[in-house]
Each structure stands twice: as structure tokens, then as C-alpha cells.
Amino acid sequence: MSIFKPLDLNSGSDTKTKEVEHVRCLIIGSGPAGYTAAIYAARANLKPVLYTGLEMGGQLTTTTEVENYPGYPDGITGPVMMEDFQKQAERFGTEVRFGTAVASDFSGEKRRVIFEENKVIEADVVIIATGATAKYLGIEAEKRYSGMGVSACATCDGFFYRGKDVAVVGGGDTAAEEATYLAGLCNKVYLVVRRDLLRASKAMQTRVFNTTNIEILWEHQAVDLYGENGVEGATLVKKKGTPEEETVKLKIEGFFLAIGHTPNSDIFKKYLETDEVGYIKTKPGTSKTNVPGVFAAGDVQDHIYRQAVTAAGSGCIAAMDAERYLSESKK
Ligand SMILES: Cc1cc2nc3c(=O)[nH]c(=O)nc-3n(C[C@H](O)[C@H](O)[C@H](O)COP(=O)(O)OP(=O)(O)OC[C@H]3O[C@@H](n4cnc5c(N)ncnc54)[C@H](O)[C@@H]3O)c2cc1C
């Protein structure tokens, strides 16, 4: 989640102290979407400047094995893969800078983004690839078992839990989808639901109810995880805060969070249309936002697929859209 509040770039005293630099193509974010946009933009001579943000390399740097990215038949670790992305972007002249965008101003002809240290970049085109952050419950054990049984992505990690018992936490559409996906791989899937109902759509609920190896644990909350060298079980509290409150030990090897993501779009919301969660809206089949010359790619505009390969694909689309925009407007 973005920790920065939108700032008003036009507020008098603020702008006076800022250093302004003009660039042709500004890319914000160093995940698969940002670096792929950079590769295409650099090869199209847009001279991209890419700001990495705090998480250099993006979400994949927090994972070990990536087995589903095409081109790596033996798999690859997330950090090494993202170093490869960066090298390829730099090979064609992308200027990679460490820094975080803290505010935007897309009100005028030039698109302006302010970075820490009072630096303002004025760009002919901006590609936003700031990703989305998975929500966690906030229990200490999630960090302790990160990469050792805890995951926020069933599509990414489900394969590692084939034939095992796992739990999915959540009651919405994502949780229902992740549970049914995992049910096709795992022996048993426990869907841990805080309330006595699912928020998921009727269609998704029907799929869950009709899947024989999904068991719903109604009115349960996960409070801890245990295990020697990885998750061996979860401690749940049933009917928390009621007279019937009860502590339950659940033997599982995988603990999947499916309680939503926060798109890192806060600083752009004043100018860009987003959905109710905050995902930047793009014109279908393109990366175009409602502001001409501003494009969005990757997880910050995709609440459905959220994969490295789809993020990379949309980064390519964004760079091509940006190049066409520039040639049509003869900038
Ligand atoms: C633990 C884990 C394992 C995963 N495993 C897989 C897998 O095996 N296969 C797969 O396909 N997908 C996997 N994914 C999903 C995949 O990582 C994402 O779909 C993908 O990284 C999205 O790419 P992105 O470029 O849109 O954003 P991200 O990778 O999220 O990158 C966002 C970038 O934006 C930067 N940023 C954010 N805010 C700012 C700001 N204000 N200013 C400047 N920069 C900013 C960040 O520093 C970061 O560099 C996994 C995700 C996680 C969390």
C-alpha cells in the first residue's frame, strides 16, 4: 500500500523549491510491467527514465521460485529474473533511477510527477506500473512463514501444494476462485470465512458449494500458524468474542490469503479514473487512461490476472500506445 498522500503540486510555496526536469517517457515502477515497457520504449527511441520505487524489481523479488514465466524451462528465482529484466531494459538505454513518486499533476499539457527530494519530472508520456500489494491479516506468523507455506497467490504457488491440505482465508470472489483453483490441485481445501456468509457472487458460491474437497469453516478467524520448518497447521478461533468461542487447530501445509489487494494508485487518483478498489481504469484492449499521454500497465490496472507474464504483456502494450501517442501528436 502506498504510504504517500497525494500532494498539491500547484500549491505556491511547494513548486518554487522544486527542481524540474523534462523527459520524453517516464516509467514509474520496476516490476515486470515497468521493465517491459522500458525495453519497448527504449528500443523505440523514447529514452525512458524509469523510477524503481522502494521495491526494486517489484513483487517477484519477495518470492523464491518462479516456474511459470515462459523462457525459463528450469524455473528461476524472482530476484534473479528481475535483475535480468533490468539488464535488458538498460541494454537499450533505459535510465534506471532509485526513487519514489509522491504526487502527480496531470492537469496541464505536460504531465508532471514529483519524486522525493523535491524533484519534478515533466514528461511527454507517463507509464504507471506501480503494481498492487496483497493484503495480509497482520499476524506475526505470516512474516515468519513467508515463502514457507504462506502465500497470497494460488495461481503462483498452488502447484507446490499438490496433494496436500491447505487453507484459503477470505469470503469474497477472490477467495472463492482461489479455493476452487486449489481444489483442482490439493487434497483438501479449507475455506476460512470470518462471517456466516460468503461475499462472493452467487455463481462463485455455487462453484464452491459443488466442489467436494472444499470445506467451509464458517465464523472462523486465523490467529496463528505453527510448524518446525514450514507451516504444519493454523490456529483458528471459532465464533470469536461470543460465549461459544473455541480454539481450533487445523493441520495444513499451505496458508493462502485471499482478502484482496491494494493497487498503488493513491497519488494518481485526483486525475485518473479508478474503480471502487483503486485499480486504474484503462480503455479496454489498451493501456490508455482517461488522461491523454498517461498509460497504465501491470497489476495497478489489473484486478483479474495479476501475473508476471500478463504484467509484462501490458507493459509492452503501454510502451506501444505511448509511442503511437507521441507520433500522432508529433511530440
Ligand atoms: C510472493 C509472490 C509470489 C508470486 N509468484 C508469482 C509467480 O510465480 N508467477 C507469476 O507470474 N506471478 C507471481 N506473482 C505475481 C507477480 O509478482 C505480479 O503479478 C507482478 O509482479 C506484477 O508486476 P507489476 O510490474 O505490475 O508490479 P510489481 O511487481 O508489483 O511492481 C511494482 C513496482 O512499482 C514500484 N512502485 C510502487 N509505488 C511506487 C511509487 N510511488 N513510485 C515509484 N515506484 C513505485 C515498486 O517499487 C515496484 O518496483 C507473485 C506475487 C507475489 C507477491
Side-chain angles (χ1 to χ4, degrees):
M1 189 172 59
S2 174
I3 53 169
F4 300 102
K5 287 202 188 105
L7 296 180
D8 184 3
L9 275 182
N10 294 319
S11 64
S13 60
D14 234 354
T15 33
K16 275 185 204 132
T17 54
K18 291 179 179 48
E19 179 196 337
V20 181
E21 177 188 354
H22 178 263
V23 304
R24 196 154 164 72
C25 173
L26 171 67
I27 299 173
I28 310 170
S30 57
Y35 279 137
T36 306
I39 292 164
Y40 278 77
R43 295 185 79 250
N45 204 25
L46 302 192
K47 300 187 174 23
V49 170
L50 180 149
Y51 275 85
T52 63
L54 289 176
E55 196 173 49
M56 195 163 177
Q59 292 173 61
L60 282 182
T61 57
T62 65
T63 190
T64 46
E65 215 49 30
V66 179
E67 293 193 332
N68 55 8
Y69 198 86
Y72 293 104
D74 302 320
I76 184 153
T77 67
V80 172
M81 182 169 139
M82 293 319 299
E83 274 171 30
D84 285 350
F85 269 67
Q86 182 179 346
K87 279 184 209 149
Q88 196 172 352
E90 285 177 329
R91 182 182 152 209
F92 299 110
T94 302
E95 189 181 333
V96 175
R97 297 180 185 171
F98 187 76
T100 300
V102 293
S104 66
D105 179 359
F106 299 146
S107 59
E109 161 80 0
K110 293 285 179 195
R111 287 136 286 265
R112 295 193 291 165
V113 179
I114 186 167
F115 289 83
E116 300 147 306
E117 315 284 327
N118 275 349
K119 170 130 191 131
V120 179
I121 301 281
E122 214 170 57
D124 292 337
V125 285
V126 177
I127 296 174
I128 299 167
T130 45
T133 309
K135 288 184 190 160
Y136 286 81
L137 295 171
I139 57 176
E140 186 276 330
E142 288 168 322
K143 284 195 192 125
R144 201 169 359 118
Y145 293 104
S146 170
M148 295 164 66
V150 172
S151 170
C153 179
T155 316
C156 313
D157 297 328
F159 189 76
F160 301 116
Y161 298 90
R162 278 165 301 155
K164 298 182 176 170
D165 291 353
V166 300
V168 174
V169 178
D173 274 323
T174 307
E177 247 168 58
E178 306 260 276
T180 42
Y181 176 81
L182 289 167
L185 294 168
C186 301
N187 176 55
K188 173 111 188 179
V189 179
Y190 296 97
L191 185 57
V192 180
V193 182
R194 201 159 40 122
R195 295 158 66 186
D196 59 354
L197 50 87
L198 291 176
R199 280 181 295 107
S201 64
K202 281 277 169 264
M204 280 314 301
Q205 292 194 28
T206 307
R207 275 176 69 187
V208 168
F209 297 146
N210 290 340
T211 307
T212 50
N213 61 339
I214 297 180
E215 181 180 336
I216 304 182
L217 301 177
W218 300 108
E219 295 181 81
H220 281 68
Q221 290 186 46
V223 292
D224 203 2
L225 299 168
Y226 56 87
E228 284 281 311
N229 297 311
V231 171
E232 290 171 16
T235 308
L236 311 178
V237 177
K238 188 178 175 185
K239 298 203 172 192
K240 200 171 179 197
T242 71
E244 301 108 274
E245 181 173 310
E246 191 187 328
T247 300
V248 181
K249 296 275 182 197
L250 185 69
K251 277 193 76 179
I252 45 152
E253 289 175 70
F255 184 77
F256 288 84
L257 282 310
I259 52 175
H261 284 73
T262 307
N264 301 316
S265 61
D266 280 4
I267 59 169
F268 308 110
K269 276 185 183 162
K270 186 171 170 193
Y271 302 97
L272 300 188
E273 284 172 12
T274 61
D275 69 9
E276 62 285 356
V277 180
Y279 287 96
I280 296 175
K281 284 189 183 173
T282 50
K283 295 204 179 100
T286 78
S287 63
K288 295 174 189 170
T289 68
N290 57 300
V291 174
V294 178
F295 305 88
D299 286 12
V300 73
Q301 53 84 57
D302 172 16
H303 67 284
I304 301 174
Y305 300 106
R306 290 194 298 249
Q307 290 295 289
V309 71
T310 48
S314 70
C316 157
I317 290 171
M320 292 179 71
D321 284 343
E323 196 279 324
R324 281 177 197 158
Y325 170 83
L326 287 172
S327 47
E328 278 161 18
S329 54
K330 299 211 170 30
K331 287 210 162 130

